[in-house]
Amino acid sequence: MEIQRNISEFILLGLSYDKNIQIFCFVLFLFCYPALLFGNLLILISILSSSLFYQPMYYFLSHLASLDICYTSSVTPKLITDLLFGTKSISYCNCMLQVFTMHFFGSIEIFILTAMAFDRYVAICKPLHYMIIMNRTRCHLHVLAAWAGGAVHSFPQLLMAISLPFCGSNEINHYFCDIFPLLKVACTDTYFTGVLVLVNSGMVVLAIFVLLFGSYVIILFTLRNHSAEGRRKALSTCGSHITVVILLFAPAIFIYLRPPTTYPEDKIFALFYTIIAPMFNPLIYTLRNTEMKNAMRKVWCQGYFQRKHTIN
């Protein structure tokens, strides 16, 4: 049966109808987005310009920082523009592209976090075999597997979105295009599609969260046999990872692990994994990380003094 597409664009209803809230959100996100870009670029350049890049944890962290930039850039600039000009339309093609990029970069980020958890598990539970297990080739394979997993997850999401017929209302009660809000405006029975989304998104997110939670339980259990200094350093690193995992997974589980429906609270929870978590990731990973702070100080401070000495 031919797919009906009697609309060429969608109207994003945004976060709120209240003008004051819209102004507040515009000012807030106008600050958050540059801060997000600056923080993640700072981490990315600092790692690439130092010896930390050759350590597995920071190798994965550099990929996480670049993914945060790509992930949030697929939503936030459009959101800021809509809040500024009040035009909240998005073309059909751009809407489908947004569905794909959100799930593609978001799922890769989840798989990278899984690789980082595995790296910490090996470092703490099997320290004598760490360099053998987490060699450079295996790190590359982890990243390649993360990108492949992102493609396997996101292309079915895109195909499900493209296959939906739209012949009535084109108003999406969200600030970006996602599969559940699109199901609400499709002019067909979307129960089966909703079940597929639940399996493809909700169950996958839950399974990975349980896996990550289990790995950190094993890590914390193993730390009982370490020295006080070793426990402090390991807990500092694992604490950063756990904080990022909770900020990303908790709202994602709330939104995707349920029957295909939408709630007003969805937009607030979505802010956590689209803007808030990517913005705080640089702080979370550097605030209590001595190696990262030393690398940043070495790269940026020495670079500044070298340029100053050259000019003089």
Side-chain angles (χ1 to χ4, degrees):
M1 184 169 59
E2 185 180 354
I3 299 174
Q4 292 178 303
R5 295 197 193 109
N6 296 335
I7 56 175
S8 59
E9 66 177 17
F10 294 98
I11 304 299
L12 299 172
L13 299 183
L15 291 168
S16 174
Y17 295 105
D18 191 301
K19 287 292 183 182
N20 293 327
I21 295 179
Q22 291 182 21
I23 294 172
F24 171 78
C25 290
F26 169 74
V27 174
L28 177 64
F29 299 141
L30 193 62
F31 164 78
C32 290
Y33 185 58
L36 183 154
L37 294 178
F38 175 77
N40 283 288
L41 282 173
L42 187 65
I43 283 185
L44 183 60
I45 296 172
S46 298
I47 293 176
L48 294 177
S49 304
S50 69
S51 59
L52 291 181
F53 183 69
Y54 300 99
Q55 298 184 33
M57 185 180 78
Y58 297 101
Y59 172 74
F60 293 135
L61 182 56
S62 66
H63 283 277
L64 185 68
S66 60
L67 285 168
D68 276 337
I69 294 172
C70 296
Y71 179 56
T72 195
S73 294
S74 63
V75 171
T76 310
K78 169 66 176 169
L79 173 60
I80 293 174
T81 303
D82 289 346
L83 290 170
L84 176 62
F85 296 107
T87 56
K88 300 180 180 180
S89 62
I90 182 171
S91 68
Y92 176 87
C93 292
N94 286 337
C95 183
M96 296 301 110
L97 179 63
Q98 200 171 63
V99 171
F100 174 77
T101 55
M102 283 292 297
H103 284 273
F104 182 61
F105 292 120
S107 55
I108 295 174
E109 183 164 340
I110 286 175
F111 293 129
I112 291 292
L113 285 172
T114 307
M116 293 175 73
F118 178 72
D119 171 73
R120 290 301 86 200
Y121 166 79
V122 175
I124 295 171
C125 300
K126 300 180 182 296
L128 299 179
H129 302 90
Y130 177 70
M131 295 308 298
I132 298 175
I133 297 175
M134 297 304 297
N135 57 60
R136 200 60 171 177
T137 301
R138 192 156 294 173
C139 290
H140 290 323
L141 289 175
H142 278 300
V143 172
L144 182 62
W147 282 80
V152 170
H153 165 75
S154 55
F155 275 107
Q157 296 280 336
L158 176 62
L159 292 175
M160 284 187 283
I162 291 176
S163 66
L164 293 173
F166 301 102
C167 50
S169 173
N170 66 338
E171 293 185 343
I172 298 177
N173 188 21
H174 216 301
Y175 62 91
F176 66 91
C177 287
D178 200 4
I179 189 70
F180 275 170
L182 285 171
L183 291 179
K184 296 291 289 185
V185 297
C187 52
T188 187
D189 183 8
T190 59
Y191 176 80
F192 181 69
T193 306
V195 172
L196 291 178
V197 174
L198 177 65
V199 173
N200 189 25
S201 295
M203 296 304 296
V204 170
V205 169
L206 179 63
I208 294 177
F209 177 76
V210 171
L211 178 66
L212 292 176
F213 181 79
S215 69
Y216 286 120
V217 168
I218 295 173
I219 289 172
L220 293 175
F221 183 79
T222 306
L223 286 176
R224 298 185 308 165
N225 303 321
H226 287 231
S227 65
E229 178 62 21
R231 284 198 300 269
R232 185 197 64 78
K233 186 176 180 180
L235 286 173
S236 176
T237 303
C238 291
S240 300
H241 291 190
I242 293 171
T243 303
V244 171
V245 166
I246 292 174
L247 280 175
L248 182 64
F249 278 83
I253 289 174
F254 173 81
I255 290 176
Y256 293 108
L257 194 64
R258 69 182 192 214
T261 185
T262 57
Y263 299 105
E265 295 81 9
D266 289 353
K267 291 181 279 189
I268 305 300
F269 279 98
L271 288 175
F272 279 90
Y273 59 79
T274 56
I275 299 176
I276 296 175
M279 182 182 68
F280 280 107
N281 280 356
L283 283 176
I284 292 170
Y285 280 112
T286 58
L287 202 58
R288 298 176 62 187
N289 190 319
T290 305
E291 286 184 320
M292 192 70 232
K293 287 189 287 189
N294 289 338
M296 292 170 66
R297 192 178 298 113
K298 183 178 180 180
V299 170
W300 297 102
C301 293
Q302 287 188 3
Y304 169 76
F305 286 117
Q306 286 176 359
R307 287 193 299 272
K308 187 175 180 181
H309 178 73
T310 303
I311 293 173
N312 293 334

